Amino acid sequence: MTELKFLGHACFLLKNDKVTLLFDPFLTDNPISAASAGEIDCQYILVSHAHADHLGDAVAIAKRTGATIVSTAEVARLCAEQNVKAHAMHLGGKHGFEFGFVRITPAFHGSGVPGGHACGFIVNFFGKIIYHAGDTAIFGDMALLGRLESIDAALLPIGDNFTMGPQDAAEAAHMLQPKLVIPMHYNTWPLIAQSPEAFQEDVQTRFKIPVKILHPGEATELK
């Protein structure tokens, strides 16, 4: 069984009985977090960029668990300098891991590191394809990403202000054509307050793509 668990904001746990992978572990000081950094056990941590609400507790968790941080070269270097294992990649790159592969995708957003880039991830996790868009604006090449990989679940920001809002995220879902959409990066603070139910209704009505709303601490099985 492959389980995807939402921990709040843009943080997810992807796991089966062999490997646990963590995305953007902003847990400490996250007002909607469903877990503490000290209780997370994982082998890999994928970090989309170095803003505090995404890099978060990555280094602390990696030091405690021995997990490998996977990110763009600049962010990976920042983490490696703090004496943790890091695997550097970059936009357009793809690398094989014990669970399958990671493809680094563009994300139109600041990196939090001078000279760096924000990114998203397409992960083949034992045959299940998950797209974590990171913090991003909508961009036309999302249609290409949907052609490159048959996406089982797309994790899309809907908060607006810093990322896509619900309308743009709905169009992104249409371009990606995933089997399932899960909204993220909303309602953490008033500035990014949104109705996931309205987003769900829009995407399902207009594009016939299922949307599952996960509240912090909730999980879904990827079938």
Side-chain angles (χ1 to χ4, degrees):
M1 183 184 77
T2 297
E3 180 184 87
L4 184 68
K5 186 174 185 180
F6 182 46
L7 299 183
H9 200 54
C11 182
F12 290 82
L13 270 177
L14 179 64
K15 63 180 181 178
N16 61 13
D17 59 354
K18 299 175 182 177
V19 175
T20 299
L21 189 154
L22 178 66
F23 293 94
D24 282 358
F26 171 48
L27 302 169
T28 302
D29 298 326
N30 179 349
I32 63 168
S33 176
S36 67
E39 64 186 283
I40 299 293
D41 189 18
C42 60
Q43 290 78 48
Y44 299 91
I45 305 170
L46 274 58
V47 177
S48 65
H49 63 293
H51 288 159
D53 60 327
H54 293 264
L55 177 61
D57 299 288
V59 171
I61 294 171
K63 284 184 175 180
R64 180 175 55 79
T65 64
T68 299
I69 294 176
V70 180
S71 190
T72 56
E74 294 80 9
V75 177
R77 185 182 309 117
L78 176 71
C79 296
E81 288 171 352
Q82 299 176 71
N83 298 312
V84 298
K85 290 189 290 185
H87 181 91
M89 298 181 66
H90 233 305
L91 305 184
K94 184 176 174 182
H95 184 77
F97 293 90
E98 61 182 301
F99 52 82
F101 66 73
V102 173
R103 180 194 291 273
I104 300 290
T105 67
F108 286 81
H109 190 74
S111 70
V113 177
H117 294 269
C119 75
F121 304 97
I122 292 180
V123 179
N124 182 323
F125 188 77
F126 297 97
K128 297 296 181 183
I129 306 295
I130 297 89
Y131 173 46
H132 187 293
D135 277 11
T136 190
I138 190 173
F139 56 96
D141 281 348
M142 286 179 169
L144 175 60
L145 297 179
R147 294 202 301 272
L148 289 172
E149 309 288 353
S150 179
I151 298 169
D152 291 295
L155 318 180
L156 302 180
I158 67 166
D160 219 343
N161 194 75
F162 299 110
T163 69
M164 298 187 290
Q167 291 181 330
D168 286 1
E171 293 297 333
H174 181 51
M175 286 190 285
L176 291 160
Q177 288 293 304
K179 297 181 179 69
L180 177 70
V181 172
I182 297 173
M184 65 173 183
H185 205 279
Y186 67 94
N187 291 353
T188 314
W189 303 284
L191 188 58
I192 57 171
Q194 299 292 342
S195 167
E197 292 82 10
F199 171 74
Q200 180 185 52
E201 182 177 1
D202 182 29
V203 174
Q204 293 184 165
T205 300
R206 286 200 291 147
F207 303 127
K208 314 304 180 189
I209 299 171
V211 174
K212 190 173 187 68
I213 298 167
L214 293 180
H215 300 288
E218 290 185 341
T220 188
E221 182 182 349
L222 298 181
K223 299 179 180 180

